[in-house]
Each structure stands twice: as C-alpha cells, then as structure tokens.
Amino acid sequence: MTVRIRFFARFRELLGTDIVVDAPKNKGLSDLVKDVAGKNQEGYDAIFDEKGAFREYVILMQNGKRVETSDAPAIRVAEGDEIAVFPPVAGG
Amino acid sequence: MTVRIRFFARFRELLGTDIVVDAPKNKGLSDLVKDVAGKNQEGYDAIFDEKGAFREYVILMQNGKRVETSDAPAIRVAEGDEIAVFPPVAGG
Amino acid sequence: MITIQTEDVDIGKMITAAKQQGTGAIVVFDGIVRDDDIREMELEAYEEVALPELEKIVSEAKKTCNLLSVDIIHRIGRLAVGENILVIVVGAGHREQAYEGSRFIIEAIKAGVPIWKKEIRKDGDRWVPGEHQHGCGAGK
Amino acid sequence: MITIQTEDVDIGKMITAAKQQGTGAIVVFDGIVRDDDIREMELEAYEEVALPELEKIVSEAKKTCNLLSVDIIHRIGRLAVGENILVIVVGAGHREQAYEGSRFIIEAIKAGVPIWKKEIRKDGDRWVPGEHQHGCGAGK
C-alpha cells in the first residue's frame, strides 16, 4: 500500500519531503518513519533518540491530525495516509 | 490687565471660546470664571453648583497646566494668563 | 510624527515609514467612527495642550516599553461614519513591547488628552462623556 | 481573508476592506524580518494543515472576543530584512476586543500553526527554534 511521508524544516533538509513509500499492510507508524529516516543518519538522529524513541520535540501528524509520539508505535498506517514529521513550529 | 478664557466642548457651545477679559489686579481665578460664565445661566450651571463651587467634573488649566478646582478660589490670575475650562476629555 | 489634523491619513505609508533598524513588530490602532445611530462625529481639541500631552505620552511609552517608533494622527473636525479618528503606529523589536506600548498610549489619550467628541445623531447631538468621571491626568 | 502566500500585501487596503457596520476599532499586527545579523529569512509552511489551523484560530477568536472581522496574510518563501512576515487585521466594535483578539491570534499562531523560519545569516543558516519546547497545539 502507498503512504506519503512529509518532513518539514530541518527534517526536510536532511531527509527530503513528500516521500512516497510502498509499505506492507499493518505497518506501524514509528517503524515506517524509522525506515525512511534511516537513509540519513543525521536525519534519523534528529528525530529519534539512541533508544529508537521519538525525541520529545518531534511533532507527528497522520492525515493532518496530531498524533502523540508515544502512541506512534501502536498506530498502523493505512493506504493513502499522509504522515507529517516536523520540529516545533516557529511561524508568526 | 488682560486674561484669555477658553471654554471647550459643551462649555464652549454655551459660553463661547477665546474670551478676552480685562480683569483687575489680583483677581481670583474662580471669580474670574464666574464673572464670564455668568452671562449665560445654562453655561454657569454647567460649571458651578448651587453653592458657587466648581462641579467635580470640571477641569481647569492655567497656561496649559492643570489646576485643582478646589485650589482655584485662592489662585490669582496674572496679565497674559490663558485660563481653560472644560468637561472630561473624550478623545481617541 | 505626532499631529492633530483634519485630513485623513494613509496608514499603509505610516507603517512603511515606521520601519527602522531593529523593528520586528508593528502594532497599529485605528479608532473609527462607529455607526451607533449617528450621522457624523465632530471632534474638537485644545491643540496647544493636546499636542504636548501626546508628546509626553509618547516619550513615556517609548521609555517604558522600549519602543523604536511611535506615530500618532488624531483627527478633528467633522468625520463621517467609518472614517479614521485616531491612528497610532507603534514599532518595536518584539511584539510584547509593541502591543503594550500601543495599549498604553490609547489608554493615556482617552484618560487625559484634551480632545472632545460630539455625536451628530438622528435624534439630536450629544457630547460623548469622558470614560473617567474626573477626566483626570489632563495636566499631568 | 486568510492566506499563506509569497506576495506582499497592501496593509492600507486590508484596513479599509476590514471596516464594516459596527466597526469602531481596528488593531493591526505586522510581524517584520528583523535585522538580527541576518541577510534574509526563509519561511516554510505545511500549508494543507496551516490554513485550516489559522481558520480554526480565527473562528475561536471571533467568538471569544466578539470580533467583526479578521484577515490574516502569512508569507512564505524568501523575505528580506524589513519585509512583512505576517499581517493580522482585526476589527471590532471596541478597542478592548480588537486588542485581545489580535493578541490571542498571534499567540495561537506562534504556538501551533505548522510554519517554520530559517535565518539566512552572515555566519551560516539557522532554523528559528519554536517558542515552546513542545510546539504544542499544532493538531488541536
């Protein structure tokens, strides 16, 4: 199934944006992000800590809705999902 | 000696503005305003109460500086003074 | 620039002119003739006192709130519904300063600058009462 | 009108357009690229989420502060020192509402709308850190 991952700001610079992934059914949200972020160590380290958990400042959205990073390992992604991963916002 | 009296807003409508008075030396500020306001009963009543004291909302200035109305009876006017008498301000 | 005038003003130009080195936030207050069953508003000022009072308020606001620029246009004369009465443009490094400065200035003007407003109403005229019973501070 | 755009905006026109029946006060916030040893600012938004977030903030502010109108332009892309980043125009019957509404909106934008800024500095680039460690509220 096809899932889009979008990184923003510093994460985008390290990992690119609008990445279309072909993921197996019932893939976990955390694992999906880990797979994609793993292609660049600096990008991976910006998002995950040494235990493989999301760093506390990381913000995660699934289809435009905020997802707590602590819930992410248990969340499954679905066909057509848009996953967004970004650092704290700084607009205005 | 010559003193200018300026009324503003409602007081101006009732009493005129920029009135040049020929006052005797050592004339009291209260008495001066009373003399001038006395030419129109409605104007007088807007500024003074039945005991002849300034109404509490009246603002008084001598040469652009605020004067407490309670001090006015004891204050003497001087040649060239500009006395301003007005109701509470409402700009902005 | 601080003026009391009958003419309207170009707020966009005031904002552009207010920008200077270090400006990160501009807050504009625009007071407008509201259509409270009125036809027009007539404004009167004791200009020789109002102008130095405005200048005093501005220099206090600049010091207290660390403002980089303040421009004020207070209009007098006859104004139609929807017209600008008062425009305050405050520039500062940061938004907290700009908001606080702007609010400080408008409250000080309302409380103490000798300017008066008369509503020209369908049912007769009415002088707008001051916000404070004593209109205190006019001669601070 | 609420937009995220690269183009600059005519704030004077925004103010004129914001006036409507009952408007007595307009407060404008203009956030500007400050010359903190930077050459330029680069702004990026997650537009598909930022726009509905802005709309949610506006409707909450309108209700809470009794606002008559809110217009927001948030710019993205490369901006030079002195350029407008964000313009918020709030109209209300009275000044208290307009100030409170304006402040509520800017704080909500800073706290939760997915937009980021990078300073293009003489000594290298730097992403501006969020004001809140958790950047919370983005998905409220």
Side-chain angles (χ1 to χ4, degrees), chain B residues 10-82:
Chain B
R10 194 160 60 92
F11 301 168
R12 172 186 56 73
E13 288 185 319
L14 295 165
L15 296 164
T17 190
D18 217 356
I19 297 159
V20 178
V21 185
D22 185 24
K25 245 189 136 175
N26 284 322
K27 180 78 173 181
L29 178 44
S30 279
D31 289 339
L32 182 81
V33 177
K34 252 178 227 175
D35 289 354
V36 177
K39 69 183 174 182
N40 174 303
Q41 190 62 42
E42 202 186 335
Y44 182 93
D45 291 343
I47 296 172
F48 295 100
D49 64 18
E50 52 292 334
K51 289 176 184 148
F54 282 103
R55 294 191 182 276
E56 64 157 3
Y57 57 74
V58 173
I59 299 170
L60 217 50
M61 285 190 170
Q62 186 174 27
N63 302 319
K65 296 247 178 306
R66 180 79 177 268
V67 167
E68 289 303 320
T69 52
S70 53
D71 297 339
I75 293 171
R76 307 289 134 194
V77 295
E79 164 68 25
D81 269 5
E82 175 171 299

Side-chain angles (χ1 to χ4, degrees), chain B residues 4 6-13 17 56-59 61 63-66 82-84 86-92, chain C residues 44-46 48-49 74 85-86 110-118 127-130 132-139:
Chain B
R4 272 176 90 192
R6 301 182 66 178
F7 296 105
F8 290 96
R10 194 160 60 92
F11 301 168
R12 172 186 56 73
E13 288 185 319
T17 190
E56 64 157 3
Y57 57 74
V58 173
I59 299 170
M61 285 190 170
N63 302 319
K65 296 247 178 306
R66 180 79 177 268
E82 175 171 299
I83 307 302
F86 50 81
V89 305
Chain C
E44 175 179 336
Y46 183 8
E48 300 91 325
V49 173
H74 202 309
I85 299 171
L86 167 64
K110 294 253 177 197
V113 176
I115 299 178
W116 300 269
K117 281 200 280 256
K118 187 165 76 167
W127 285 98
V128 177
H132 302 274
Q133 186 60 26
H134 289 270
C136 50

